[in-house]
Amino acid sequence: MATARRPTKKATPAWAFRPQGDRCLSLDFGDKISVETGLQCLAAATALRDAQLPGVTDVVPSYTAVAVHFLPDTLSDDKVGAFDALCARIGEILGAGLPEAAASSREVDIPVCYGGRHGPDLADVARAAGLTEDEVIALHQAPGSMVFTLGFAPGLPYIGVHDAALNLPRRAVPRTAVAQGSVAIANRQTTIYPNVLPGGWHIIGATPLVMFDATRAQPALLMPGDRVRFVPISDQDFDRIALEQGRKP
Amino acid sequence: MTLQVVRPGMLSTFQDLGRVGLQHLGVPVAGAMDERAHRLANLLVGNPQELATIEVTMTGPTLRAESPCCFVITGANLSPTINGHPIPLNRPLIMRAGDEIAFGERRHGTRCYIAVHGGFALEPVLGSNSTYLRSAIGPWHGRALRRGDELGLLRTFEPGRNNRAITALAMALSDIEIYLPGPVALAARRRVRVIKSAQWREFTPESCVAFLTESFRISPDSERMGYRLQGPELSMTHPRQMLSEATTFGTIQVPSGGQPIVLMADRQTTGGYPKLAYVASIDLPLLAQLGPGDSVQFEAISLEQAQTLDVRRVRAFADLAVALAPIKTLLTNH
């Protein structure tokens, strides 16, 4: 039997264009969260940002889409509307396929103090998942976590995809105030609250790092595509690092 | 060289055209709610359209000049006065040292914009002079104006030994005729125009009809982040979970309760609720001038129509900048 070989014909684009109002368009890469799709979105976003298209103000990757915010007057002329003009330009830049879809070379360690006063939901999570607290922590630290997107608040990352055992829905009643640095999970993902915010995820720990600081050259600690390693630390380490970071107690 | 904040008003913040380019880091754009009035204010005092203005909400501040300067008020009519005498909107005027501008009754609209010739002395944060209160990001310590603040001005006029030169400037300014072309003026429309979303057909036919025919009331907790609308309950035929993705100024999303929310200037950069439609950019200023308790109706237009209208307004502003060159020349040379 002959080995099946994929014919080398011109591939159809991996995305579909979708207008989001009159100043934004989205490239849709699918409708399921996966590392592969996430990497496609990141690769496309990087290529589009690097292209520095006139009239494009923001390129925002999410789990399965890349949004391109633009100013219509820079892109359109009397014959071609901005949406069509931008789709054509994006098509040229990305070609029929995509540039190498690889995670960023950055690997960032995030120290986390699990449980106790920093992780009030760890026991509940363990019970709901049918695991011990240590097993939850071990699964949470498993390699392969990546930042898919940032949103909700400046510097707030969405990190995934965790083991299926950590697939818990959000809390039925969200908290009105979650502490700064809280590391929380839901739906096989982790988020870290950069400052005090309302939130409905399960808080399993906290990091002493400052996730966002407008005065830093790189204001957001984590960027889309970063690979993340959660490193367990003690309560004392937490306080020491928080102090070093200049965080208010 | 300063404007003194005698009273801050309900919510007065510095805003410009927004903090763009950082949405992928979760940084909201913020910026003027009524971009039209913001741009107009700058042009009327001979500034580039992107300089920061003071966005005033519902109740205006009282500001006292320490040196003569040129200012203008655009947008909502909150009965502005100078030393107690009513003053018009959309007219560049001169404040002399000791003059006070203040506001009174809210006649129409929700937000007005104060621009000064030459702009305010501000330190941009992350490339913008827009204020995002939730994260305290912005030029003025990331906060709203307070009593006792002294706002630095980059350009004031020498008072001179007598006020003759200032009087001559004021006279010359009042002699300049100002015509606002149609796309720049705020049309008194009954209906806010929207573009249907890709998920439009996933909503029940009844919801779609209700959205385009019935009235919605803007709820009391509506503010710069979003307007909550109260009206007929809207629902999807087969409700489903959406993945979080980028949002825009004007996105109309429908949480499971069925009451839509229009995302405004301080919107979060991403959101995961189903999207019914998007407010056409041309009518965002109209919506920004509505406030809690006002009612609003919607009308669908095509994406092409929306873009044509948007581009027409941007170009009208470029033309207006040329038409208003005499103001700029007069002020710059004084």
Side-chain angles (χ1 to χ4, degrees), chain B residues 152-220:
Chain B
L153 306 182
L154 290 175
R155 175 98 163 87
T156 55
F157 306 117
E158 285 298 318
R161 241 192 313 205
N162 57 41
N163 279 328
R164 225 193 277 157
I166 295 292
T167 305
L169 176 65
M171 299 285 281
L173 266 181
S174 70
D175 282 346
I176 293 180
E177 302 205 14
I178 297 170
Y179 297 104
L180 298 187
V184 165
L186 186 63
R189 290 184 61 84
R190 299 265 306 274
R191 286 171 178 274
V192 167
R193 288 165 285 194
V194 300
I195 306 150
K196 295 173 184 174
S197 80
Q199 289 152 19
W200 174 266
R201 286 171 194 283
E202 292 191 49
F203 285 82
T204 64
E206 297 75 31
S207 295
C208 295
V209 170
F211 179 69
L212 294 177
T213 54
E214 297 195 33
S215 265
F216 291 83
R217 203 168 151 273
I218 297 171
S219 87

Side-chain angles (χ1 to χ4, degrees), chain A residues 18 20 22-23 58 73 154-155, chain B residues 21 25 245 275 278 281 310:
Chain A
R18 167 172 54 106
Q20 287 222 67
D22 52 19
R23 291 187 181 187
D58 279 278
D73 60 303
Chain B
L25 302 183
E245 63 159 354
K275 296 163 179 175
Y278 305 90
S281 295
D310 192 24

Side-chain angles (χ1 to χ4, degrees), chain A:
Chain A
M1 211 189 290
T3 20
R5 242 188 111 88
R6 199 163 283 191
T8 53
K9 64 171 186 182
K10 201 179 171 197
T12 49
W15 64 87
F17 288 116
R18 167 172 54 106
Q20 287 222 67
D22 52 19
R23 291 187 181 187
C24 179
L25 72 79
S26 277
L27 285 68
D28 289 340
F29 287 84
D31 54 10
K32 294 255 181 328
I33 295 183
S34 74
V35 170
E36 191 197 356
T37 306
L39 286 175
Q40 278 188 317
C41 293
L42 290 168
T46 304
L48 292 175
R49 198 171 297 118
D50 290 349
Q52 300 194 332
L53 291 174
V56 168
T57 58
D58 279 278
V59 179
V60 187
S62 54
Y63 294 105
T64 60
V66 178
V68 181
H69 297 269
F70 61 91
L71 301 171
D73 60 303
T74 323
L75 286 153
S76 61
D77 58 32
D78 294 337
K79 295 194 193 85
V80 184
F83 184 78
D84 292 338
L86 189 54
C87 289
R89 285 295 288 125
I90 289 172
E92 286 166 25
I93 291 159
L94 300 184
L98 271 176
E100 178 85 1
S104 122
S105 54
R106 289 189 357 143
E107 185 166 288
V108 184
D109 285 356
I110 302 290
V112 180
C113 181
Y114 287 99
R117 65 183 167 120
H118 293 300
D121 297 336
L122 180 61
D124 285 349
V125 166
R127 203 172 307 125
L131 301 167
T132 65
E133 292 185 15
D134 285 344
E135 285 169 335
V136 170
I137 294 169
L139 283 178
H140 189 247
Q141 289 168 40
S145 288
M146 182 184 87
V147 179
F148 280 78
T149 180
L150 279 74
F152 188 64
L156 184 144
Y158 292 93
I159 301 163
V161 181
H162 299 309
D163 191 278
L166 298 181
N167 191 12
L168 299 176
R170 279 178 267 185
R171 288 164 55 88
V173 182
R175 290 183 171 91
T176 52
V178 173
Q180 179 185 0
S182 290
V183 173
I185 62 169
N187 302 314
R188 299 179 68 182
Q189 295 162 62
T190 290
T191 192
I192 306 174
Y193 294 87
N195 48 297
V196 178
L197 288 163
W201 294 37
H202 308 272
I203 305 166
I204 59 169
T207 181
L209 299 185
V210 174
M211 301 302 293
F212 188 87
D213 178 352
T215 64
R216 287 195 299 228
Q218 280 282 12
L221 183 69
L222 291 174
M223 307 274 279
D226 283 349
R227 286 169 296 151
V228 176
R229 271 198 339 195
F230 295 107
V231 181
I233 57 168
S234 67
D235 230 351
Q236 291 79 4
D237 286 344
F238 182 97
D239 291 340
R240 180 180 51 77
I241 300 171
L243 204 65
E244 284 167 11
Q245 294 265 313
R247 254 181 58 170
K248 291 176 197 116

